[in-house]
Each structure stands twice: as C-alpha cells, then as structure tokens.
Amino acid sequence: MACTVHVTNGVLEQSEISAYITRATEKYGAEPKHIDINVCGDEVELSYEFEGRPFHRIRRITGYLVGTLDRFNNAKRCEEHDRVKHSLAR
C-alpha cells in the first residue's frame, strides 16, 4: 500500500518522511493510508489516517471470550447448544 504524505509550513527530506511512516507502522501495527505533517520550527505535528479494519464480534460463551465456535471441542459445543439464552421480557 502506498502512503500519501502532505507536508505544510516547510520542506522535509524523503528519509525523514520515510522514518515517520516506519514509526507509524511500528506503533500502530499497520501502514497509514495518509500522513499530514505540519512543520512548526524544529518540531512537527503528525496526523495519521488508516484504512478501516473489519469489526469482529466477541461474545462470552460458557465462560470464554470467543469470536467463533470453531475451536471448541465436542463437549464445549454441546454445552453451548444446551445453554439457556435469556431475553428481556417486556
């Protein structure tokens, strides 16, 4: 993925811009889609924009936090199947 960069109020070398991209990737675990860099004298203000990540639903089932039941053994699958699912009465 190519990261787009917008620098305001100054000029930066490509090596410094690459270092900011590397830092963001290491810190947040993903390469940013876009970086805004605002040069303020000897300091810079960084603003990152990342791609959206899919949301994974996690539920507490039979005492475990799970997203899917595919790793449950047969006993846990039976326990999940037999559990009483409560609802709100109105």
Side-chain angles (χ1 to χ4, degrees):
M1 177 168 79
C3 177
T4 58
V5 179
H6 183 250
V7 180
T8 56
N9 297 329
V11 178
L12 297 176
E13 295 180 15
Q14 184 58 43
S15 60
E16 188 172 358
I17 293 171
S18 296
Y20 291 133
I21 294 171
T22 301
R23 178 185 180 274
T25 302
E26 291 172 356
K27 183 174 181 179
Y28 298 108
E31 183 178 72
K33 181 173 112 177
H34 181 78
I35 298 179
D36 285 321
I37 304 173
N38 184 19
V39 180
C40 302
D42 290 341
E43 298 181 3
V44 295
E45 295 176 354
L46 301 173
S47 176
Y48 304 110
E49 181 182 335
F50 292 92
E51 289 287 334
R53 293 187 180 177
F55 179 79
H56 297 286
R57 181 178 178 198
I58 295 178
R59 302 174 287 166
R60 181 176 295 277
I61 297 176
T62 67
Y64 294 92
L65 291 176
V66 296
T68 62
L69 304 178
D70 60 340
R71 296 185 63 199
F72 275 13
N73 62 23
N74 290 339
K76 276 292 178 193
R77 286 178 199 260
C78 287
E79 186 178 340
E80 189 277 331
H81 181 266
D82 295 340
R83 73 187 177 118
V84 175
K85 297 176 183 170
H86 301 281
S87 63
L88 297 175
R90 291 185 178 196

